[in-house]
Amino acid sequence: DGGITQSPKYLFRKEGQNVTLSCEQNLNHDAMYWYRQDPGQGLRLIYYSQIVNDFQKGDIAEGYSVSREKKESFPLTVTSAQKNPTAFYLCASSEQANSGNTIYFGEGSWLTVV
Amino acid sequence: GENVEQHPSTLSVQEGDSAVIKCTYSDSASNYFPWYKQELGKGPQLIIDIRSNVGEKKDQRIAVTLNKTAKHFSLHITETQPEDSAVYFCAASMYAGKSTFGDGTTLTVKP
């Protein structure tokens, strides 16, 4: 089935550690996104990528890094510089990043700092 | 930048009643307005969307209306069922890379 696969579903991080969340899509979409969701709040954009080997910072990029080496993959690294990383992380994709394209979401990954 | 306000933050209705969720946006350049349904612990799923050249769109029990002059749009769910219980998000965008989401509405449908 076509879709967006995020892994792991649950991840625990010790303070000072970097962790990487995986996101793979088989929709042949050019654009991919990472959002952060905190309880009772909306979705905030961390990074997005319009095309392979290109990405732009979103509204809350500090403490995060991404790469886009393949069209299908857009991993997110939560670095130790992110002071409050406990949240629900959502990967998404769209055909393109422009022209009002619909954004489709994965099932999300829960990250907890222990 | 774009600012989207969504109301109410929580909504409780009896099964069979209608539910209405409203969003306002600030940037008149926004031209695409999707609505998402998010169940607990899952990713948001698109349920309906509307573009700026259309005033209303309907899909079975769900409808969305758009008032560009007033810069607001609404989600209408008729004949609500318990499985409609979820968090609903609106969004406004000029393009997918510039989508701004509302803070969500938790809808509870009581049997």
Side-chain angles (χ1 to χ4, degrees):
Chain A
D1 287 349
I4 301 167
T5 302
Q6 291 187 237
S7 63
K9 180 69 176 179
Y10 301 96
L11 185 61
F12 298 90
R13 188 193 94 170
K14 293 182 180 179
E15 289 199 22
Q17 280 185 336
N18 294 353
V19 292
T20 298
L21 306 179
S22 169
C23 178
E24 303 278 332
Q25 55 98 359
N26 61 4
L27 301 168
N28 200 33
H29 285 172
D30 284 330
M32 296 187 73
Y33 313 81
W34 275 104
Y35 287 89
R36 170 177 171 145
Q37 186 175 28
D38 293 286
Q41 296 189 28
L43 308 174
R44 293 185 290 168
L45 183 64
I46 303 172
Y47 269 98
Y48 71 101
S49 168
Q50 298 187 65
I51 199 167
V52 174
N53 292 324
D54 179 69
F55 48 82
Q56 288 83 39
K57 292 181 179 180
D59 300 320
I60 56 166
E62 185 175 352
Y64 299 97
S65 66
V66 294
S67 62
R68 187 87 187 276
E69 298 177 0
K70 299 187 300 181
K71 186 175 184 177
E72 304 79 19
S73 179
F74 192 42
L76 173 73
T77 296
V78 184
T79 74
S80 57
Q82 170 50 239
K83 297 307 178 187
N84 186 23
T86 295
F88 190 50
Y89 290 88
L90 288 159
C91 179
S93 70
S94 64
E95 288 188 11
Q96 296 174 348
N98 54 12
S99 304
N101 281 198
T102 300
I103 294 175
Y104 298 93
F105 289 90
E107 289 296 286
S109 293
W110 291 94
L111 173 62
T112 303
V113 173
V114 297
Chain B
E2 175 67 277
N3 182 49
V4 175
E5 294 189 359
Q6 183 173 344
H7 299 281
S9 57
T10 60
L11 179 60
S12 182
V13 300
Q14 288 295 134
E15 183 176 359
D17 288 350
S18 294
V20 180
I21 303 170
K22 299 181 179 180
C23 288
T24 61
Y25 62 100
S26 60
D27 193 334
S28 57
S30 289
N31 57 18
Y32 176 61
F33 307 92
W35 284 91
Y36 292 87
K37 175 184 180 182
Q38 186 178 28
E39 297 177 347
L40 191 62
K42 296 188 175 182
Q45 298 293 313
L46 179 74
I47 56 171
I48 196 166
D49 57 12
I50 193 167
R51 299 186 189 274
S52 59
N53 58 346
V54 176
E56 183 174 359
K57 184 177 179 180
K58 195 172 182 180
D59 183 3
Q60 299 182 7
R61 297 186 296 109
I62 295 173
V64 57
T65 58
L66 171 65
N67 184 326
K68 283 193 65 181
T69 303
K71 295 208 271 297
H72 66 71
F73 56 111
S74 300
L75 176 70
H76 305 253
I77 305 174
T78 59
E79 300 172 20
T80 54
Q81 301 166 4
E83 51 265 38
D84 293 330
S85 296
V87 179
Y88 291 81
F89 289 96
C90 65
S93 73
M94 288 171 274
Y95 50 93
K98 278 289 183 184
S99 294
T100 302
F101 290 81
D103 285 342
T105 296
T106 301
L107 173 64
T108 302
V109 180
K110 299 178 181 178

